[in-house]
């Protein structure tokens, strides 16, 4: 499986690791997510549409990082983080994949059109994504956390507790 090999490779490079869960880091990423959303809305209000799109993506991505630190996962690769959202947690990742694609298109290319309505829809989609992910994080039990960490160990073929 291509995804598994990719994730295992990142683990070998120490770019995907099991770490101690951190409430402080979780909270810091929730705050970063909120700040990114506020930035996206301010940019939209000032008709800076293309600049709003990356902030929308980073709002989603930071909420994903909050989930990872709640469980005790450190991942330094955006694509892998998005894969893990679905493969490890069973959470649909098409919204964040779409937002990532939009971010790349709007940040790195000049030949695109974007409308106010499209940005408004992205912001709405992001608020929905963040809200559902926040609820998921909030409902996690210690048993759930241990289950996800064990599942990740199996995915990464970690045989000992050598993270």
């Amino acid at each position: 499986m291509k995804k598994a090999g990719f994730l295992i490779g990142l683990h070998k490079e120490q770019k995907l690791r099991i770490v101690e869960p951190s409430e402080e880091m979780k909270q810091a990423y929730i705050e970063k997510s909120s700040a990114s959303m506020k930035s996206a809305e301010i940019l939209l209000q000032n008709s800076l549409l293309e600049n709003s799109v990356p902030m929308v993506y980073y709002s989603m991505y930071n909420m994903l990082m909050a989930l990872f630190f709640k469980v005790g996962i450190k991942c330094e690769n955006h694509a892998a983080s998005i894969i893990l959202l679905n493969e490890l947690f069973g959470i649909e990742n098409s919204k964040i994949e779409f937002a990532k694609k939009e971010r790349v298109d709007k940040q790195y290319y000049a030949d695109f059109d974007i409308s106010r309505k499209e940005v408004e829809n992205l912001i709405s989609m992001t608020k929905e994504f963040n809200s559902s992910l926040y609820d998921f994080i909030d409902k996690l039990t210690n048993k759930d956390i241990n289950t996800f960490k064990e599942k990740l160990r199996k995915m990464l073929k970690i045989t000992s507790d050598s993270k």
Side-chain angles (χ1 to χ4, degrees):
M1 180 184 198
K2 205 173 190 180
K3 290 178 189 175
F6 173 58
L7 296 174
I8 290 168
L10 287 173
H11 175 67
K12 287 179 181 173
E13 295 172 14
Q14 295 288 302
K15 292 183 179 178
L16 172 57
R17 298 177 295 150
I18 296 172
V19 297
E20 284 300 314
S22 172
E23 282 296 313
E24 294 80 18
M25 291 297 289
K26 177 203 81 169
Q27 192 56 41
Y29 276 104
I30 288 171
E31 290 169 13
K32 283 175 70 88
S33 174
S34 178
S36 294
M37 177 54 66
K38 286 177 188 166
S39 295
E41 291 173 325
I42 290 167
L43 290 163
L44 171 64
Q45 289 166 4
N46 288 282
S47 298
L48 296 166
L49 303 179
E50 72 182 70
N51 296 316
S52 183
V53 174
M55 292 294 96
V56 168
Y57 167 71
Y58 282 110
S59 180
M60 296 171 97
Y61 180 75
N62 287 322
M63 190 59 73
L64 176 54
M65 291 299 97
L67 168 61
F68 281 15
F69 278 100
K70 172 71 176 181
V71 172
I73 298 169
K74 183 168 184 190
C75 185
E76 299 174 14
N77 182 288
H78 287 237
S81 298
I82 293 168
I83 289 168
L84 286 170
L85 180 62
N86 184 259
E87 299 288 321
L88 180 61
F89 296 99
I91 297 173
E92 174 58 42
N93 61 5
S94 61
K95 290 178 182 174
I96 192 170
E97 280 183 335
F98 177 74
K100 182 181 178 213
K101 180 188 174 307
E102 288 295 299
R103 176 193 68 92
V104 170
D105 289 350
K106 304 315 178 260
Q107 256 186 316
Y108 300 118
Y109 302 103
D111 60 337
F112 63 84
D113 290 319
I114 188 165
S115 71
R116 179 174 207 83
K117 187 68 178 161
E118 286 174 303
V119 175
E120 288 170 349
N121 288 341
L122 272 171
I123 287 173
S124 177
M125 178 186 75
T126 299
K127 287 180 177 180
E128 182 182 303
F129 175 88
N130 286 350
S131 178
S132 66
L133 203 52
Y134 183 86
D135 287 345
F136 184 86
I137 294 167
D138 196 45
K139 292 176 183 170
L140 284 172
T141 65
N142 286 335
K143 182 180 178 190
D144 295 332
I145 290 168
N146 290 331
T147 298
F148 288 125
K149 285 169 88 169
E150 187 55 37
K151 186 175 177 183
L152 182 58
R153 280 187 183 94
K154 287 179 183 172
M155 288 172 75
L156 299 177
K157 302 184 188 295
I158 300 172
T159 55
S160 69
D161 201 33
S162 62
K163 300 174 186 156

